[in-house]
Amino acid sequence: MSHVNSDETHRNLLSRIPHCTGREIADWLRAVDEGPALSRFEEKVSWLRGEHGLAYGHAKAIVHEYDLRRAARKLG
């Protein structure tokens, strides 16, 4: 089972998160970075949902974006 939405769906979810949560994407990415050292995708999603009350789709989009940016930093 894939954890990844299409690029368009991912971008759409990210664009709605600030309106739905009242926090910018950068704030959420920082929360994941500073949160508990969880290694699995679904663990991070569950943590965001439980700790911050996020909807599953929003939490999944945030973790996916976090992983994308982290991978880009490693390549750069």
Side-chain angles (χ1 to χ4, degrees):
M1 182 171 97
S2 174
H3 295 295
V4 181
N5 293 312
S6 72
D7 288 340
E8 181 180 359
T9 301
H10 178 67
R11 285 190 306 273
N12 287 337
L13 278 167
L14 285 181
S15 71
R16 289 192 303 260
I17 288 171
H19 173 73
C20 294
T21 67
R23 290 176 66 180
E24 295 297 320
I25 297 300
D27 294 335
W28 288 116
L29 297 176
R30 190 169 29 261
V32 173
D33 194 48
E34 295 172 355
L38 303 170
S39 58
R40 294 182 58 232
F41 184 92
E42 286 296 330
E43 290 175 326
K44 294 174 192 173
V45 170
S46 293
W47 175 77
L48 281 173
R49 294 183 73 206
E51 185 73 19
H52 297 284
L54 291 177
Y56 178 74
H58 291 156
K60 185 175 159 182
I62 290 166
V63 174
H64 180 58
E65 185 66 17
Y66 176 82
D67 288 346
L68 287 173
R69 292 184 187 196
R70 188 170 169 217
R73 284 193 307 262
K74 287 183 179 178
L75 293 175

